[in-house]
Amino acid sequence: MVAKTFRGGVHAHYHKEDTASKPIRRLGPPARVVIPLHQHTGAPCEPLVKVGDEVKVGQKIGDSSARLTAPVHSSVSGKVVAISPHPQAGGRDVLSIVIESDGQETLDEHVEPRADVDSLKADEIKAIIREAGIVGLGGAAFPTYFKLTPPPGKSFDTVILNGAECEPYLSADHRLMVERPGDVVEGAKLLLKATGVTKAYIGIEENKPDAIEAISEAAKGDDRISVVPLKVKYPQGAEKQLIWAILGREVPSGGLPVDVGVVVNNVGTAAAVKDAVVSGMPLVERVVTVAGSCVAEPQNVLVKVGMLVSDLVEACGGCSSPPAKVIIGGPMMGTAQFTMDIPVTKGTSGVLLLNEEEAAPVEPMACVRCGKCVEACSMRLMPLWIASYAEAGRFDDAERMNALDCIECGCCSFICPSRRRLVQAIRLAKSEIMAKRRKAQAS
């Protein structure tokens, strides 16, 4: 089968060789976890426990009555020792529940396998997914139950699972597909049932032949599920680019995948759905890639949500040399950190420790009008003009150039020979445009 792809994009050095062939290593419970009450898109949770309470693995410790939210659960058994603000990867302090582990890993009584999975109806599956606190594990952390319900007047006809994992360094999804292909496919079947759809595609970049083989074997015999090899190109795993590559459908400007009948989920999310529905286990752990030239033992680890990044790095042999930059996520769309005293959350796909040479700042120069940013933009935008308008404070002009369609993949900045900070300027424009719209709605 010919590998599919999209228009634009870039070819980065992928740096996956240090972790892609190593089996996922399960870490034991850390001595302490810090579980944020807001680690998803939507409303933050309110604590359901208080300081001094004993908790168990899988026990719900935070929830909200808001329409868009995701409950949080304890990832260890032990005692709640604090409920207080704590730094997060996004840069804000978030109210968090601090639990000291007793090391016993005692399961909550509500965590038990279901014998009646085949008889579950769509709404029952979505209710289980909601109660399990499952969010998109590709990094966006959008509540999955909400995503599975189309708005009035719209419907799905296709489910797509994203196994592209196009960000450099990251290989957590790759290893998950190789080691748990049956769980990914079972999750896909549950997503089909939850959405009432009869066709699912699992898109995987062709530099992961072992994952393509494993998932194809697991899906064999079910005509509803097809594995689609994808060309190796960034940002192949972005929703709109994935839909175009697999189905040839273009999400309209300002639209969402549901506008073309598609719902996209990450392969890790599918496996988490299977765990929740079949085993009764809420989302309390995830696979994280720990990599970069300053990590002593780069690898993929199955880690408890709430484990501090500093403890995670120590569990991977510590730092081989002092890192000049710490990034949560991939180097293209991840966020740089000022401390490692932050917890792993549901949306943490990777922890990268880069040296001075890799993290060296570059001085931007004047645009040479080469047009490479236009060629690389997978959203068919004009990054040089949007960025120029943003830098001049002309945000209305940036809006007319469809700045809000930018997915902030960073291809324009990556390819720019003048090292202009294009994506940062466009991000500023988007922020100003949205602020203006909120002000207009409030008045």
Coordinates of all heavy atoms in Angstrom, one line a residue, residues 251-331:
V251 N -11.0 19.8 6.5 CA -11.8 20.5 7.5 C -11.9 22.0 7.2 O -10.9 22.6 6.9 CB -11.2 20.3 8.9 CG1 -12.0 21.0 10.0 CG2 -11.1 18.8 9.2
P252 N -13.1 22.6 7.1 CA -13.2 24.0 6.7 C -12.5 24.9 7.7 O -12.4 24.6 8.8 CB -14.7 24.2 6.6 CG -15.3 23.2 7.5 CD -14.4 22.0 7.4
S253 N -12.2 26.1 7.2 CA -11.6 27.1 8.0 C -12.5 27.4 9.2 O -13.7 27.6 9.1 CB -11.4 28.4 7.2 OG -10.9 29.5 8.0
G254 N -11.9 27.4 10.4 CA -12.7 27.6 11.6 C -13.5 26.4 12.1 O -14.2 26.4 13.1
G255 N -13.4 25.3 11.3 CA -14.2 24.1 11.7 C -13.4 23.1 12.5 O -12.3 23.2 12.9
L256 N -14.2 22.0 12.8 CA -13.6 20.9 13.5 C -13.8 19.6 12.7 O -14.5 19.5 11.7 CB -14.4 20.7 14.9 CG -14.3 21.9 15.8 CD1 -15.3 21.8 17.0 CD2 -12.9 22.0 16.4
P257 N -13.1 18.5 13.1 CA -13.2 17.3 12.4 C -14.6 16.8 12.2 O -15.0 16.2 11.2 CB -12.4 16.3 13.3 CG -11.3 17.2 13.8 CD -12.0 18.5 14.1
V258 N -15.5 17.1 13.2 CA -16.9 16.6 13.1 C -17.6 17.3 11.9 O -18.6 16.7 11.4 CB -17.7 16.9 14.4 CG1 -17.8 18.4 14.6 CG2 -19.0 16.2 14.4
D259 N -17.1 18.4 11.4 CA -17.7 19.1 10.3 C -17.5 18.3 9.0 O -18.2 18.5 8.0 CB -17.1 20.5 10.1 CG -17.5 21.4 11.2 OD1 -18.6 21.4 11.6 OD2 -16.6 22.1 11.7
V260 N -16.6 17.3 9.0 CA -16.4 16.4 7.9 C -16.7 15.0 8.3 O -16.3 14.0 7.7 CB -15.0 16.5 7.2 CG1 -14.8 17.9 6.6 CG2 -13.9 16.3 8.3
G261 N -17.4 14.8 9.4 CA -17.9 13.5 9.9 C -16.9 12.6 10.5 O -17.1 11.4 10.6
V262 N -15.8 13.2 11.1 CA -14.7 12.4 11.6 C -14.5 12.7 13.1 O -14.6 13.9 13.5 CB -13.4 12.6 10.8 CG1 -12.3 11.7 11.4 CG2 -13.7 12.4 9.4
V263 N -14.2 11.7 13.9 CA -13.7 11.9 15.2 C -12.3 11.2 15.3 O -12.1 10.1 14.9 CB -14.6 11.4 16.3 CG1 -14.9 9.9 16.2 CG2 -14.1 11.7 17.7
V264 N -11.3 12.0 15.8 CA -9.9 11.5 15.9 C -9.5 11.3 17.3 O -9.7 12.2 18.2 CB -8.9 12.5 15.2 CG1 -7.5 12.0 15.3 CG2 -9.4 12.8 13.7
N265 N -8.9 10.2 17.6 CA -8.4 9.9 18.9 C -7.0 9.3 18.8 O -6.7 8.7 17.8 CB -9.3 8.9 19.7 CG -10.5 9.6 20.3 OD1 -10.4 10.3 21.3 ND2 -11.7 9.4 19.6
N266 N -6.2 9.4 19.8 CA -4.9 8.9 19.9 C -4.9 7.4 20.2 O -5.9 6.9 20.8 CB -4.1 9.6 21.0 CG -2.7 9.1 21.2 OD1 -2.5 8.3 22.0 ND2 -1.8 9.7 20.4
V267 N -3.9 6.6 19.7 CA -3.9 5.2 20.0 C -3.8 4.9 21.5 O -4.4 3.9 22.0 CB -2.8 4.5 19.3 CG1 -3.0 4.5 17.8 CG2 -1.4 5.1 19.6
G268 N -3.1 5.8 22.2 CA -3.0 5.6 23.7 C -4.4 5.9 24.4 O -4.7 5.2 25.3
T269 N -5.2 6.8 23.8 CA -6.5 7.0 24.3 C -7.4 5.8 24.1 O -8.2 5.4 25.0 CB -7.2 8.2 23.6 OG1 -6.3 9.3 23.7 CG2 -8.5 8.5 24.2
A270 N -7.2 5.1 22.9 CA -8.0 3.9 22.7 C -7.7 2.8 23.7 O -8.6 2.1 24.2 CB -7.7 3.4 21.2
A271 N -6.4 2.7 24.0 CA -6.0 1.6 25.0 C -6.5 2.0 26.3 O -7.0 1.1 27.1 CB -4.5 1.5 25.0
A272 N -6.6 3.3 26.7 CA -7.1 3.7 28.0 C -8.6 3.4 28.0 O -9.2 3.1 29.1 CB -6.8 5.2 28.2
V273 N -9.3 3.6 26.9 CA -10.7 3.3 26.8 C -11.0 1.8 27.1 O -11.9 1.4 27.9 CB -11.3 3.7 25.5 CG1 -12.7 3.1 25.2 CG2 -11.4 5.2 25.4
K274 N -10.1 1.0 26.5 CA -10.3 -0.5 26.7 C -10.0 -0.8 28.2 O -10.8 -1.6 28.8 CB -9.3 -1.2 25.8 CG -9.3 -2.7 26.0 CD -8.3 -3.2 27.0 CE -8.4 -4.7 27.2 NZ -7.5 -5.2 28.2
D275 N -9.0 -0.2 28.8 CA -8.8 -0.4 30.2 C -10.0 0.0 31.1 O -10.3 -0.8 32.0 CB -7.5 0.4 30.7 CG -6.2 -0.2 30.1 OD1 -6.2 -1.4 29.7 OD2 -5.2 0.6 30.1
A276 N -10.6 1.1 30.8 CA -11.7 1.6 31.6 C -12.9 0.7 31.5 O -13.6 0.4 32.4 CB -12.0 3.0 31.2
V277 N -13.2 0.4 30.2 CA -14.5 -0.3 30.0 C -14.4 -1.8 30.4 O -15.3 -2.4 31.0 CB -14.9 -0.2 28.5 CG1 -16.1 -1.0 28.2 CG2 -15.1 1.3 28.1
V278 N -13.3 -2.4 30.0 CA -13.1 -3.9 30.3 C -12.6 -4.2 31.7 O -13.1 -5.0 32.4 CB -12.2 -4.5 29.2 CG1 -12.0 -6.0 29.5 CG2 -12.8 -4.3 27.8
S279 N -11.6 -3.5 32.1 CA -10.9 -3.7 33.4 C -11.5 -2.8 34.5 O -11.2 -3.1 35.7 CB -9.4 -3.5 33.3 OG -8.9 -4.3 32.3
G280 N -12.2 -1.8 34.2 CA -12.7 -0.9 35.2 C -11.7 0.1 35.8 O -11.9 0.7 36.8
M281 N -10.5 0.2 35.1 CA -9.4 1.0 35.7 C -9.5 2.4 35.1 O -9.4 2.6 33.8 CB -8.1 0.4 35.3 CG -6.9 1.2 35.8 SD -6.9 1.5 37.6 CE -6.4 -0.1 38.2
P282 N -9.6 3.4 35.9 CA -9.6 4.8 35.4 C -8.2 5.2 34.9 O -7.2 4.4 35.1 CB -10.1 5.6 36.6 CG -9.8 4.8 37.8 CD -9.9 3.4 37.3
L283 N -8.1 6.4 34.3 CA -6.8 6.8 33.8 C -5.9 7.3 35.0 O -6.0 8.4 35.4 CB -7.0 7.9 32.8 CG -5.8 8.5 32.1 CD1 -4.9 7.4 31.4 CD2 -6.2 9.5 31.0
V284 N -5.0 6.5 35.4 CA -4.1 6.8 36.5 C -2.6 6.7 36.2 O -1.8 6.9 37.0 CB -4.4 6.0 37.8 CG1 -5.8 6.3 38.3 CG2 -4.3 4.5 37.5
E285 N -2.3 6.2 35.0 CA -1.0 6.0 34.5 C -0.9 6.1 33.0 O -1.9 6.0 32.3 CB -0.4 4.7 35.0 CG -1.1 3.5 34.5 CD -0.6 2.2 35.1 OE1 0.2 2.2 36.1 OE2 -1.0 1.1 34.6
R286 N 0.3 6.4 32.5 CA 0.4 6.5 31.1 C 1.9 6.3 30.7 O 2.8 6.3 31.6 CB 0.0 7.9 30.6 CG 0.9 9.1 31.1 CD 0.7 10.2 30.1 NE 1.2 9.9 28.8 CZ 0.7 10.3 27.6 NH1 -0.2 11.2 27.6 NH2 1.3 9.9 26.4
V287 N 2.1 6.1 29.4 CA 3.5 5.9 28.9 C 4.1 7.2 28.6 O 3.5 8.0 27.9 CB 3.5 4.9 27.7 CG1 5.0 4.7 27.2 CG2 2.8 3.6 28.0
V288 N 5.3 7.4 29.0 CA 6.0 8.7 28.8 C 7.4 8.4 28.2 O 8.1 7.5 28.7 CB 6.2 9.5 30.1 CG1 7.0 10.8 29.8 CG2 4.8 9.8 30.7
T289 N 7.8 9.1 27.2 CA 9.2 9.0 26.6 C 10.1 10.0 27.4 O 9.8 11.2 27.5 CB 9.2 9.4 25.1 OG1 8.4 8.5 24.4 CG2 10.6 9.3 24.6
V290 N 11.1 9.5 28.0 CA 12.1 10.3 28.6 C 13.4 10.2 27.8 O 14.0 9.1 27.7 CB 12.4 9.8 30.1 CG1 13.4 10.8 30.8 CG2 11.1 9.8 30.9
A291 N 13.8 11.3 27.2 CA 14.9 11.3 26.2 C 15.6 12.6 26.1 O 15.3 13.5 26.9 CB 14.3 10.9 24.8
G292 N 16.6 12.6 25.2 CA 17.4 13.8 25.1 C 18.8 13.5 25.5 O 19.1 12.6 26.2
S293 N 19.8 14.3 25.0 CA 21.2 14.1 25.2 C 21.6 14.1 26.6 O 22.7 13.7 27.0 CB 22.0 15.0 24.3 OG 21.6 16.4 24.7
C294 N 20.9 14.7 27.5 CA 21.3 14.8 28.9 C 20.6 13.8 29.8 O 20.8 13.9 31.1 CB 20.9 16.3 29.5 SG 21.8 17.6 28.6
V295 N 19.9 12.9 29.3 CA 19.3 11.8 30.1 C 20.2 10.6 30.1 O 20.7 10.1 29.0 CB 17.9 11.3 29.5 CG1 17.3 10.2 30.3 CG2 17.0 12.5 29.5
A296 N 20.5 10.1 31.3 CA 21.5 9.0 31.4 C 21.0 7.7 30.7 O 21.8 7.0 30.0 CB 21.8 8.7 32.8
E297 N 19.7 7.4 30.9 CA 19.1 6.2 30.3 C 17.8 6.5 29.6 O 16.7 6.3 30.2 CB 18.9 5.1 31.4 CG 20.2 4.8 32.2 CD 19.9 3.9 33.4 OE1 18.8 3.5 33.6 OE2 20.9 3.8 34.2
P298 N 17.9 7.0 28.4 CA 16.6 7.3 27.7 C 15.8 6.0 27.5 O 16.3 5.0 27.2 CB 17.1 7.8 26.3 CG 18.6 8.2 26.5 CD 19.1 7.2 27.6
Q299 N 14.5 6.2 27.7 CA 13.6 5.0 27.6 C 12.1 5.5 27.6 O 11.8 6.7 27.9 CB 13.8 4.1 28.8 CG 13.7 4.7 30.1 CD 14.3 3.9 31.3 OE1 13.7 2.9 31.6 NE2 15.4 4.3 31.8
N300 N 11.2 4.5 27.4 CA 9.8 4.8 27.6 C 9.4 4.1 28.9 O 9.8 2.9 29.2 CB 9.0 4.2 26.5 CG 9.1 5.0 25.2 OD1 8.7 6.2 25.2 ND2 9.7 4.5 24.2
V301 N 8.6 4.8 29.7 CA 8.3 4.3 31.0 C 6.7 4.4 31.2 O 6.1 5.4 30.8 CB 9.0 5.0 32.2 CG1 10.4 4.7 32.2 CG2 8.8 6.5 32.1
L302 N 6.2 3.4 31.9 CA 4.8 3.5 32.3 C 4.8 4.1 33.7 O 5.3 3.5 34.7 CB 4.1 2.1 32.3 CG 2.7 2.1 32.7 CD1 1.8 2.8 31.7 CD2 2.2 0.6 32.8
V303 N 4.2 5.3 33.8 CA 4.4 6.1 35.1 C 3.1 6.5 35.6 O 2.1 6.8 34.9 CB 5.3 7.3 34.7 CG1 4.7 8.2 33.6 CG2 5.5 8.2 35.9
K304 N 3.0 6.7 37.0 CA 1.8 7.1 37.6 C 1.6 8.6 37.4 O 2.5 9.4 37.4 CB 2.0 6.9 39.2 CG 2.2 5.5 39.6 CD 0.9 4.7 39.6 CE 1.1 3.4 40.3 NZ -0.1 2.6 40.4
V305 N 0.3 8.9 37.0 CA 0.0 10.4 36.9 C 0.2 11.0 38.3 O -0.2 10.5 39.3 CB -1.5 10.5 36.5 CG1 -2.0 12.0 36.7 CG2 -1.7 10.0 35.1
G306 N 0.9 12.1 38.3 CA 1.2 12.8 39.5 C 2.7 12.7 40.0 O 3.1 13.4 40.9
M307 N 3.4 11.7 39.4 CA 4.8 11.6 39.7 C 5.6 12.8 39.3 O 5.3 13.3 38.2 CB 5.4 10.3 39.0 CG 6.8 10.0 39.3 SD 7.4 8.5 38.5 CE 9.0 8.2 39.3
L308 N 6.5 13.3 40.1 CA 7.2 14.5 39.8 C 8.2 14.2 38.7 O 8.8 13.1 38.6 CB 7.9 15.1 41.0 CG 7.0 15.6 42.1 CD1 7.8 16.1 43.3 CD2 6.1 16.7 41.6
V309 N 8.4 15.1 37.8 CA 9.3 15.0 36.7 C 10.7 14.7 37.2 O 11.5 13.9 36.7 CB 9.3 16.2 35.7 CG1 10.4 16.2 34.7 CG2 8.0 16.2 35.0
S310 N 11.1 15.4 38.3 CA 12.4 15.2 38.9 C 12.6 13.8 39.3 O 13.7 13.2 39.1 CB 12.6 16.2 40.1 OG 11.5 16.0 41.0
D311 N 11.6 13.2 39.9 CA 11.7 11.8 40.3 C 11.7 10.8 39.1 O 12.4 9.8 39.1 CB 10.5 11.4 41.2 CG 10.5 12.1 42.5 OD1 11.6 12.5 43.0 OD2 9.4 12.2 43.1
L312 N 11.0 11.2 38.0 CA 10.9 10.4 36.8 C 12.3 10.4 36.2 O 12.8 9.3 35.7 CB 9.9 11.0 35.9 CG 9.8 10.4 34.5 CD1 9.5 8.9 34.5 CD2 8.7 11.1 33.7
V313 N 13.0 11.6 36.1 CA 14.3 11.6 35.5 C 15.3 10.8 36.3 O 16.1 10.1 35.8 CB 14.8 13.1 35.4 CG1 16.3 13.2 35.0 CG2 13.9 13.8 34.4
E314 N 15.2 10.9 37.7 CA 16.1 10.1 38.5 C 15.9 8.6 38.3 O 16.8 7.8 38.3 CB 15.8 10.4 40.0 CG 16.4 11.7 40.5 CD 18.0 11.7 40.3 OE1 18.6 10.7 40.7 OE2 18.5 12.6 39.7
A315 N 14.6 8.2 38.0 CA 14.3 6.8 37.8 C 14.9 6.3 36.4 O 15.0 5.1 36.2 CB 12.8 6.6 37.8
C316 N 15.2 7.3 35.6 CA 15.8 7.0 34.3 C 17.3 7.2 34.3 O 18.0 7.6 33.3 CB 15.2 7.8 33.2 SG 13.5 7.4 32.9
G317 N 17.9 7.1 35.5 CA 19.4 7.2 35.7 C 19.9 8.6 36.0 O 21.1 8.8 36.1
G318 N 18.9 9.6 36.0 CA 19.3 10.9 36.3 C 19.9 11.6 35.1 O 19.8 11.2 33.9
C319 N 20.5 12.8 35.3 CA 21.1 13.6 34.2 C 22.5 13.1 34.0 O 23.3 13.1 34.9 CB 21.0 15.0 34.5 SG 19.4 15.7 34.8
S320 N 22.9 12.9 32.7 CA 24.3 12.6 32.4 C 25.1 13.8 32.3 O 26.3 13.8 32.5 CB 24.3 11.9 31.0 OG 23.7 12.7 30.0
S321 N 24.5 15.0 32.1 CA 25.1 16.3 32.2 C 24.0 17.3 32.5 O 22.8 17.0 32.2 CB 25.8 16.6 30.9 OG 24.9 16.6 29.8
P322 N 24.3 18.5 33.0 CA 23.3 19.4 33.3 C 22.5 19.9 32.1 O 23.1 20.3 31.1 CB 24.1 20.6 33.9 CG 25.4 20.0 34.4 CD 25.7 18.9 33.4
P323 N 21.2 19.7 32.1 CA 20.4 20.1 30.9 C 20.3 21.7 30.8 O 20.2 22.4 31.8 CB 19.0 19.5 31.2 CG 18.9 19.4 32.7 CD 20.3 19.2 33.2
A324 N 20.4 22.1 29.5 CA 20.2 23.5 29.3 C 18.7 23.9 29.1 O 18.3 25.0 29.3 CB 21.0 24.0 28.1
K325 N 18.0 22.9 28.7 CA 16.5 23.1 28.5 C 15.8 21.8 28.8 O 16.2 20.7 28.4 CB 16.2 23.5 27.1 CG 14.8 23.8 26.8 CD 14.5 24.3 25.4 CE 14.8 25.8 25.2 NZ 14.4 26.3 23.9
V326 N 14.7 21.9 29.5 CA 13.8 20.8 29.8 C 12.5 21.1 29.1 O 11.9 22.2 29.3 CB 13.5 20.7 31.3 CG1 12.5 19.5 31.6 CG2 14.8 20.4 32.1
I327 N 12.0 20.1 28.3 CA 10.8 20.3 27.6 C 9.8 19.2 27.9 O 10.1 18.1 28.0 CB 11.0 20.3 26.0 CG1 12.0 21.4 25.6 CG2 9.7 20.3 25.2 CD1 12.4 21.4 24.2
I328 N 8.5 19.6 28.2 CA 7.5 18.7 28.3 C 6.7 18.5 27.0 O 6.2 19.5 26.5 CB 6.5 19.1 29.4 CG1 7.2 19.2 30.8 CG2 5.3 18.2 29.5 CD1 7.7 17.9 31.3
G329 N 6.7 17.3 26.5 CA 6.2 17.1 25.1 C 7.3 16.9 24.1 O 8.5 16.6 24.5
G330 N 7.0 17.2 22.9 CA 8.0 17.1 21.8 C 8.7 18.4 21.6 O 8.2 19.5 22.1
P331 N 9.8 18.5 20.9 CA 10.5 19.7 20.7 C 9.8 20.7 19.8 O 10.1 21.9 19.8 CB 11.9 19.3 20.0 CG 11.5 18.0 19.4 CD 10.5 17.3 20.2

